[in-house]
Amino acid sequence: MLARKSIIPEEYVLARIAAENLGKPRIRDRPRKARFIAKNGACNLAHKNIREQGRFLQDIFTTLVDLKWRHTLVIFTMSFLCSWLFFAMVWWLVAFAHGDMNYPCVQSDNISGWKPCVTCVSSFTSAFLFSIEVQVTIGFGGRMMTEECAIAIIVLIFQNIVGLIINAVMLGCIFMKTAQAHRRAETLIFSRNAVIAVRNGRLCFMFRVGDLRKSMIISASVRIQVVKKTTTPEGEVIPIHQQDVPVDNPLESNNIFLVAPLIVCHIIDKRSPLYDISAYDLASQDLEIIVILEGVVETTGITTQARTSYIAEEILWGHRFVPIVTEEEGAYAVDYSKFGNTTKVAAPRCSAKELDEKPSILIQTLQKSELSHQNSLRKRNSMRRNNSMRRNNSIRRNNSSFIVPKVQFMTPEGNQNAVET
């Protein structure tokens, strides 16, 4: 806090603050790169300046399915309402042209000999009600067709065909929206962070994937891609350069059996884009690792896809995932509360390229880790012994405080009898 003006001159205080600020190094944060794929799998991409908007109408069904729910429900309601209003106008024109307005609610067997096209259609409201009855096949019985007008029969057939088309398109659109593949992908989860650690003597990039449902994903496969900005030798800048990353899978089919959470591993070798990156270089790397999980839903047979991505800040070097699958009472149990938990392990901080050139680095790292582990075990054992000794001493002191002293009583004969009370 600044001193009072009456005690320290203001010029001195300002000069001292300026000197302190000059002595402190100014660190500017690196501008954060925009993600190409969000953590929930959404593509962070905006389409602008699309001139040929009519291409979307050529595939009207896919356009309806891709719309938001509020827009789909509005189109669903308006399609039926507009068709009812349109054919209500047609039925009103048929009744008006035939002169049915002059004979309200005249039955076909009327003694006057007048036979309307549609009975009891004398206003637009009654024509609207008759249009609804025809299209949804309600048939209350008050309004009905007669064989008097051929044009009315043609309108009836045409309205039935249009109504069936609207029902098929709208109901199919609603079904496809409720059964979309990305709905199933909501229960396919990935670990929040990825890790880089040593597995089988090699540096590996690992992440965990799991399925929350009991219904399995058939023929599930995992693909990894690295997306980063690159520049070609000719000077061309590629803002989104995609490069495939091989996945270490002992199965020849390259499929995984996702019945329980699995740790997907990528060995960082010469084919890997992470081959030249060390732990110190990772924070300054402008890259994004995209993970894609594909498979067929067992219950519906629809192919689903789940996506996520990891940027440099979300990759933990020298960590390993904790085990979450245990065997309890003859069955395997999965503790999803530890799904993304990691623990620190010994791992060389150099790149995989340096590790291949100098294998002794890994041996030295493991030896240091073993020594530190042994020292921690010795310290832990010594602390346990000290605590047990202190506990035993405190118990002895407490027991000694409860010892009853001996009291001697003198008898008249002069004998001394020791009595404990």
Side-chain angles (χ1 to χ4, degrees):
M1 297 179 63
L2 294 177
R4 296 179 181 178
K5 293 183 180 180
S6 59
I7 300 176
I8 300 177
E10 184 177 359
E11 294 80 4
Y12 174 75
V13 175
L14 294 176
R16 186 183 63 181
I17 293 175
E20 291 178 354
N21 291 334
L22 288 175
K24 296 179 180 180
R26 296 183 179 181
I27 301 175
R28 295 183 179 180
D29 295 336
R30 183 170 59 91
R32 190 172 183 179
K33 175 181 175 292
R35 306 180 74 109
F36 186 59
I37 299 295
K39 295 298 290 184
N40 59 357
C43 296
N44 188 18
L45 186 65
H47 299 275
K48 296 182 178 180
N49 301 326
I50 300 177
R51 297 180 180 179
E52 298 181 0
Q53 298 288 344
R55 292 181 176 270
F56 294 99
L57 298 178
Q58 295 177 2
D59 188 9
I60 186 63
F61 185 78
T62 305
T63 303
L64 292 175
V65 174
D66 290 340
L67 289 176
K68 295 182 179 180
W69 267 107
R70 56 178 178 267
H71 299 156
T72 303
L73 293 178
V74 169
I75 294 175
F76 180 85
T77 304
M78 293 303 298
S79 62
F80 285 101
L81 187 60
C82 291
S83 65
W84 295 339
L85 289 172
F86 173 75
F87 284 102
M89 180 62 68
V90 174
W91 289 117
W92 184 84
L93 290 175
V94 170
F96 179 78
H98 192 258
D100 297 344
M101 300 296 180
N102 300 326
Y103 300 91
C105 201
V106 176
Q107 301 296 330
S108 61
D109 57 349
N110 190 272
I111 58 176
S112 61
W114 177 260
K115 184 177 289 186
C117 294
V118 181
T119 59
C120 296
V121 175
S122 57
S123 63
F124 182 78
T125 304
S126 59
F128 179 73
L129 293 175
F130 181 71
S131 175
I132 296 176
E133 293 178 16
V134 169
Q135 189 162 333
V136 299
T137 63
I138 295 177
F140 290 113
R143 284 168 289 271
M144 60 181 180
M145 286 282 302
T146 64
E147 68 275 7
E148 181 67 19
C149 303
I151 186 65
I153 299 174
I154 295 174
V155 172
L156 177 66
I157 296 173
F158 184 69
Q159 185 176 5
N160 285 329
I161 295 174
V162 172
L164 289 175
I165 293 174
I166 294 176
N167 288 335
V169 173
M170 290 293 102
L171 294 179
C173 178
I174 296 297
F175 173 75
M176 290 301 298
K177 285 188 70 67
T178 54
Q180 279 184 334
H182 68 270
R183 303 296 180 187
R184 179 61 176 87
E186 296 293 335
T187 53
L188 298 175
I189 57 176
F190 300 88
S191 57
R192 184 70 182 177
N193 297 308
V195 299
I196 293 179
V198 178
R199 175 183 279 191
N200 298 327
R202 305 293 297 274
L203 274 179
C204 298
F205 170 84
M206 294 173 287
F207 59 91
R208 178 173 277 167
V209 60
D211 187 5
L212 299 179
R213 290 187 180 273
K214 291 185 177 180
S215 59
M216 295 184 299
I217 300 295
I218 303 173
S219 301
S221 61
V222 177
R223 294 188 292 114
I224 305 177
Q225 288 185 349
V226 173
V227 176
K228 61 181 179 179
K229 182 179 180 181
T230 59
T231 304
T232 62
E234 294 79 13
E236 180 185 1
V237 178
I238 304 177
I240 303 175
H241 177 68
Q242 302 181 17
Q243 184 177 357
D244 288 333
V245 176
V247 179
D248 181 27
N249 194 348
L251 302 178
E252 295 181 359
S253 60
N254 202 25
N255 294 332
I256 59 176
F257 187 52
L258 196 59
V259 66
L262 298 177
I263 297 177
V264 182
C265 175
H266 158 64
I267 299 176
I268 304 177
D269 52 10
K270 296 180 179 180
R271 301 175 298 169
S272 173
L274 307 176
Y275 189 62
D276 298 331
I277 299 176
S278 64
Y280 309 101
D281 302 333
L282 182 62
S284 60
Q285 292 294 318
D286 190 10
L287 57 84
E288 180 178 356
I289 301 177
I290 299 175
V291 179
I292 303 172
L293 172 63
E294 292 179 335
V296 179
V297 182
E298 183 182 21
T299 54
T300 62
I302 300 176
T303 302
T304 185
Q305 184 183 94
R307 301 178 296 267
T308 190
S309 67
Y310 300 99
I311 56 178
E313 290 80 3
E314 297 171 348
I315 301 175
L316 305 178
W317 195 292
H319 283 246
R320 181 186 299 164
F321 289 105
V322 299
I324 60 175
V325 180
T326 57
E327 187 176 357
E328 298 178 0
E329 299 179 357
Y332 290 95
V334 180
D335 186 5
Y336 280 98
S337 63
K338 303 177 182 179
F339 183 81
N341 293 0
T342 61
T343 181
K344 288 186 177 181
V345 294
R349 310 294 291 180
C350 63
S351 63
K353 181 179 180 180
E354 296 177 1
L355 190 62
D356 291 343
E357 295 175 353
K358 299 179 181 179
S360 60
I361 298 177
L362 179 60
I363 299 175
Q364 294 175 1
T365 304
L366 296 178
Q367 290 177 353
K368 291 180 181 179
S369 174
E370 184 66 23
L371 291 175
S372 62
H373 180 65
Q374 292 178 0
N375 293 332
S376 62
L377 288 178
R378 292 193 192 96
K379 291 180 181 179
R380 194 178 304 169
N381 294 332
S382 63
M383 291 177 63
R384 288 178 181 176
R385 286 195 297 269
N386 294 334
N387 293 334
S388 62
M389 292 178 63
R390 292 173 184 172
R391 196 180 300 109
N392 294 333
N393 293 333
S394 62
I395 292 173
R396 288 183 188 134
R397 291 195 210 97
N398 294 333
N399 293 334
S400 62
S401 62
F402 288 105
I403 297 176
V404 180
K406 294 182 179 180
V407 181
Q408 293 181 354
F409 295 95
M410 300 296 296
T411 59
E413 288 81 7
N415 296 329
Q416 294 180 354
N417 296 327
V419 182
E420 292 184 359
T421 62

